[in-house]
Short mmCIF file of all heavy atoms in Angstrom, two decimals:
data_model
loop_
_atom_site.label_atom_id
_atom_site.label_comp_id
_atom_site.label_asym_id
_atom_site.label_seq_id
_atom_site.Cartn_x
_atom_site.Cartn_y
_atom_site.Cartn_z
N ARG P 548 -175.26 81.29 72.06
CA ARG P 548 -175.12 79.88 72.48
C ARG P 548 -175.95 78.98 71.59
O ARG P 548 -175.51 77.88 71.19
CB ARG P 548 -175.58 79.76 73.96
CG ARG P 548 -175.51 78.32 74.51
CD ARG P 548 -175.85 78.33 76.00
NE ARG P 548 -177.15 78.92 76.24
CZ ARG P 548 -178.31 78.25 76.05
NH1 ARG P 548 -178.31 77.01 75.61
NH2 ARG P 548 -179.47 78.84 76.29
N LEU P 549 -177.21 79.40 71.30
CA LEU P 549 -178.06 78.57 70.42
C LEU P 549 -177.43 78.43 69.03
O LEU P 549 -177.50 77.36 68.41
CB LEU P 549 -179.44 79.20 70.31
CG LEU P 549 -180.29 79.16 71.60
CD1 LEU P 549 -181.57 79.93 71.41
CD2 LEU P 549 -180.58 77.73 72.01
N THR P 550 -176.84 79.51 68.52
CA THR P 550 -176.19 79.44 67.20
C THR P 550 -175.04 78.44 67.22
O THR P 550 -174.84 77.64 66.29
CB THR P 550 -175.67 80.83 66.81
OG1 THR P 550 -176.77 81.75 66.81
CG2 THR P 550 -175.05 80.80 65.41
N ARG P 551 -174.22 78.44 68.35
CA ARG P 551 -173.10 77.49 68.42
C ARG P 551 -173.62 76.06 68.50
O ARG P 551 -173.05 75.12 67.93
CB ARG P 551 -172.24 77.81 69.66
CG ARG P 551 -171.39 79.08 69.47
CD ARG P 551 -170.32 79.15 70.56
NE ARG P 551 -170.92 79.26 71.89
CZ ARG P 551 -171.25 80.42 72.48
NH1 ARG P 551 -171.05 81.58 71.84
NH2 ARG P 551 -171.78 80.45 73.68
N GLU P 552 -174.74 75.85 69.27
CA GLU P 552 -175.31 74.51 69.36
C GLU P 552 -175.78 74.03 67.99
O GLU P 552 -175.59 72.84 67.64
CB GLU P 552 -176.49 74.53 70.35
CG GLU P 552 -176.05 74.67 71.81
CD GLU P 552 -177.26 74.72 72.75
OE1 GLU P 552 -178.38 74.63 72.23
OE2 GLU P 552 -177.06 74.80 73.98
N ILE P 553 -176.39 74.91 67.19
CA ILE P 553 -176.83 74.50 65.83
C ILE P 553 -175.62 74.11 64.96
O ILE P 553 -175.63 73.09 64.27
CB ILE P 553 -177.61 75.65 65.18
CG1 ILE P 553 -178.96 75.82 65.89
CG2 ILE P 553 -177.86 75.36 63.70
CD1 ILE P 553 -179.71 77.06 65.47
N ALA P 554 -174.53 74.92 65.03
CA ALA P 554 -173.33 74.61 64.22
C ALA P 554 -172.70 73.30 64.67
O ALA P 554 -172.29 72.46 63.85
CB ALA P 554 -172.32 75.75 64.35
N THR P 555 -172.65 73.08 66.02
CA THR P 555 -172.08 71.81 66.54
C THR P 555 -172.90 70.63 66.10
O THR P 555 -172.38 69.56 65.71
CB THR P 555 -172.01 71.88 68.07
OG1 THR P 555 -171.25 73.02 68.45
CG2 THR P 555 -171.36 70.62 68.63
N SER P 556 -174.24 70.78 66.14
CA SER P 556 -175.13 69.69 65.72
C SER P 556 -174.92 69.36 64.25
O SER P 556 -174.88 68.20 63.85
CB SER P 556 -176.58 70.07 65.99
OG SER P 556 -177.47 69.07 65.53
N GLU P 557 -174.78 70.40 63.42
CA GLU P 557 -174.55 70.16 61.99
C GLU P 557 -173.23 69.45 61.75
O GLU P 557 -173.13 68.53 60.94
CB GLU P 557 -174.59 71.47 61.23
CG GLU P 557 -175.99 72.07 61.14
CD GLU P 557 -175.98 73.42 60.42
OE1 GLU P 557 -174.84 73.90 60.14
OE2 GLU P 557 -177.05 73.95 60.12
N GLN P 558 -172.13 69.85 62.45
CA GLN P 558 -170.83 69.19 62.29
C GLN P 558 -170.90 67.74 62.71
O GLN P 558 -170.34 66.84 62.07
CB GLN P 558 -169.77 69.93 63.10
CG GLN P 558 -169.44 71.32 62.56
CD GLN P 558 -168.44 72.05 63.43
OE1 GLN P 558 -168.00 71.51 64.48
NE2 GLN P 558 -168.08 73.28 63.04
N THR P 559 -171.61 67.49 63.87
CA THR P 559 -171.73 66.10 64.35
C THR P 559 -172.45 65.25 63.33
O THR P 559 -172.06 64.10 63.03
CB THR P 559 -172.50 66.09 65.69
OG1 THR P 559 -171.82 66.95 66.61
CG2 THR P 559 -172.58 64.68 66.24
N THR P 560 -173.54 65.79 62.78
CA THR P 560 -174.30 65.03 61.77
C THR P 560 -173.45 64.75 60.55
O THR P 560 -173.46 63.64 60.00
CB THR P 560 -175.54 65.84 61.37
OG1 THR P 560 -176.32 66.11 62.55
CG2 THR P 560 -176.39 65.04 60.39
N SER P 561 -172.66 65.73 60.08
CA SER P 561 -171.80 65.54 58.90
C SER P 561 -170.74 64.48 59.16
O SER P 561 -170.47 63.61 58.31
CB SER P 561 -171.13 66.86 58.52
OG SER P 561 -172.10 67.83 58.20
N SER P 562 -170.11 64.51 60.38
CA SER P 562 -169.09 63.50 60.68
C SER P 562 -169.69 62.11 60.76
O SER P 562 -169.10 61.12 60.32
CB SER P 562 -168.38 63.87 62.00
OG SER P 562 -169.32 63.88 63.07
N GLU P 563 -170.90 61.99 61.35
CA GLU P 563 -171.55 60.67 61.43
C GLU P 563 -171.88 60.15 60.04
O GLU P 563 -171.69 58.95 59.74
CB GLU P 563 -172.81 60.79 62.29
CG GLU P 563 -172.53 60.98 63.78
CD GLU P 563 -173.81 61.16 64.58
OE1 GLU P 563 -174.87 61.22 63.94
OE2 GLU P 563 -173.74 61.23 65.83
N LEU P 564 -172.37 61.04 59.16
CA LEU P 564 -172.66 60.60 57.78
C LEU P 564 -171.39 60.16 57.06
O LEU P 564 -171.38 59.15 56.35
CB LEU P 564 -173.32 61.74 57.01
CG LEU P 564 -174.76 62.08 57.40
CD1 LEU P 564 -175.22 63.34 56.69
CD2 LEU P 564 -175.70 60.92 57.08
N HIS P 565 -170.27 60.90 57.25
CA HIS P 565 -169.00 60.52 56.61
C HIS P 565 -168.50 59.18 57.13
O HIS P 565 -168.04 58.31 56.38
CB HIS P 565 -167.96 61.63 56.88
CG HIS P 565 -166.61 61.30 56.29
ND1 HIS P 565 -166.40 61.29 54.93
CD2 HIS P 565 -165.44 61.00 56.90
CE1 HIS P 565 -165.15 60.98 54.71
NE2 HIS P 565 -164.53 60.80 55.89
N THR P 566 -168.65 58.98 58.50
CA THR P 566 -168.22 57.70 59.08
C THR P 566 -169.03 56.55 58.53
O THR P 566 -168.50 55.47 58.19
CB THR P 566 -168.35 57.76 60.61
OG1 THR P 566 -167.58 58.88 61.08
CG2 THR P 566 -167.84 56.49 61.25
N ALA P 567 -170.34 56.73 58.44
CA ALA P 567 -171.21 55.66 57.92
C ALA P 567 -170.86 55.36 56.46
O ALA P 567 -170.80 54.19 56.05
CB ALA P 567 -172.68 56.08 58.04
#
Side-chain angles (χ1 to χ4, degrees):
R548 179 175 56 79
L549 291 174
T550 302
R551 286 194 297 272
E552 288 179 0
I553 290 171
T555 303
S556 176
E557 289 178 353
Q558 292 177 358
T559 303
T560 303
S561 299
S562 61
E563 288 177 355
L564 288 173
H565 178 70
T566 303

